[in-house]
């Protein structure tokens, strides 16, 4: 079966949250803040494949999501980045936004294209320690990844 148009939903990974943590050790009465940063979310990347000739694969799987970033840990340990999701499309695929029907990219060349960018990871409480505020009890949350509906169409 030959399929030349497909509607899919794309979601990039969310960023991980920062951690609120304090250094704890024997004989240390008041430890410094040591919360780690959250990891960045994975992006959704389109790549041209010369081995594909139809959009049949996108007829059965319509939702694609990249990995989210891991939350930060104590001892200033940053969370792991989310893996990027690489979607292979046939050469000559035109990607349109489903809401506005505008062309986002023409995948005729062999270049990769970032369709949805992953969210940034949040900062841990170690970033907010200053001389006047030595015990910050808050951290920054990670940002959401981009999300969109797109239409894939073969020329």
């Amino acid at each position: 079966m030959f399929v030349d148009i497909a509607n899919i939903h794309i979601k990039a990974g969310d960023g991980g949250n920062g951690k609120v943590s304090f250094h704890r050790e024997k004989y240390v009465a008041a430890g410094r803040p040591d919360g780690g940063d959250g990891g960045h979310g994975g992006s959704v990347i389109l790549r041209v494949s010369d081995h594909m000739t139809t959009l049949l694969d996108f007829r059965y799987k319509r939702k694609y999501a990249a990995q989210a970033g891991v939350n930060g840990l104590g001892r200033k340990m940053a969370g792991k980045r989310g893996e990027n999701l690489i979607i292979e499309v046939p050469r000559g695929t035109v990607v349109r936004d489903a809401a506005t029907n505008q062309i986002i990219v023409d995948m005729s060349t062999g270049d990769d294209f970032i369709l949805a960018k992953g969210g940034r990871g949040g900062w841990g409480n170690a970033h907010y320690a200053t001389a006047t505020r030595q015990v910050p009890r808050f951290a920054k949350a990670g940002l959401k990844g981009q999300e969109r509906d797109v239409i894939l169409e073969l020329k």
Side-chain angles (χ1 to χ4, degrees):
M1 180 188 298
F2 184 77
V3 176
D4 61 348
I5 191 164
N7 295 332
I8 61 173
H9 180 77
I10 301 295
K11 169 119 176 55
D14 298 335
N17 297 329
K19 176 76 172 175
V20 176
S21 175
F22 297 96
H23 180 76
R24 294 291 175 237
E25 191 175 344
K26 191 174 181 182
Y27 303 118
V28 177
R32 66 189 184 281
D34 68 348
D37 301 339
H40 298 306
S43 299
V44 178
I45 300 172
L46 291 180
R47 180 172 288 163
V48 173
S49 173
D50 290 327
H51 301 292
M52 295 177 71
T53 57
T54 181
L55 297 174
L56 184 63
D57 297 342
F58 301 105
R59 180 174 217 163
Y60 301 109
K61 184 176 180 192
R62 295 178 185 256
K63 293 182 181 179
Y64 293 89
Q67 261 187 350
V70 178
N71 294 338
L73 302 170
R75 301 167 92 191
K76 293 187 182 178
M77 289 191 286
K80 187 177 175 186
R81 276 186 102 105
E83 290 289 325
N84 291 337
L85 176 67
I86 297 175
I87 299 175
E88 292 187 346
V89 295
R91 188 175 296 275
T93 302
V94 176
V95 181
R96 296 179 184 269
D97 189 8
T100 62
N101 208 21
Q102 274 188 319
I103 294 176
I104 298 171
V105 66
D106 184 2
M107 297 298 292
S108 296
T109 63
D111 299 332
D112 291 351
F113 180 75
I114 298 175
L115 188 58
K117 191 161 175 59
R120 292 178 50 99
W123 280 359
N125 67 337
H127 281 278
Y128 297 106
T130 62
T132 57
R133 182 177 52 212
Q134 295 180 1
V135 186
R137 297 189 188 279
F138 58 90
K140 187 175 180 184
L143 299 177
K144 298 284 185 193
Q146 292 178 344
E147 189 172 359
R148 61 170 43 166
D149 291 319
V150 294
I151 300 170
L152 303 177
E153 182 178 335
L154 272 175
K155 286 188 196 179

